[in-house]
Amino acid sequence: MWQKEQVIRELKRRGKRMTKQRLLLLDIILDGSYSCGKEIYYDAIKVDPTIGLATVYRMLSTLEEIGVVSRCYQCSLEQTPCMYESAEAG
């Protein structure tokens, strides 16, 4: 499991700025288990209503690139095409 400090170091190493919104999203993502980006978005806007859905998906994409989360596709009758889960620290 990734620790917040490890993720921040890796993001900075890759040239990403650590904005207030990114830090908030990182806290939310590392603390929970979500089935989609919209769930993360709904939790995030409770704290900062200025966060956009695109920001959430960009952050998820960045975290997926570095291996913090992985996208899992599920076959089911429900309308849940994928979910995000924490990846093991590398």
Side-chain angles (χ1 to χ4, degrees), residues 4-19:
K4 183 177 178 180
E5 295 76 28
Q6 287 177 294
V7 177
I8 291 171
R9 269 195 311 273
E10 183 60 24
L11 289 171
K12 285 182 178 179
R13 188 182 75 74
R14 292 175 181 244
K16 305 290 184 189
R17 290 181 306 121
M18 291 312 303
T19 64

Side-chain angles (χ1 to χ4, degrees), residues 2 16 31 58-60 81 87-88:
W2 285 76
K16 305 290 184 189
D31 286 343
R58 278 193 305 269
M59 184 64 164
L60 282 169
E88 294 298 318

Side-chain angles (χ1 to χ4, degrees), residues 46-64:
K46 291 175 188 173
V47 178
D48 182 353
T50 66
I51 290 179
L53 187 57
T55 302
V56 173
Y57 281 107
R58 278 193 305 269
M59 184 64 164
L60 282 169
S61 178
T62 300
L63 293 176
E64 189 175 11

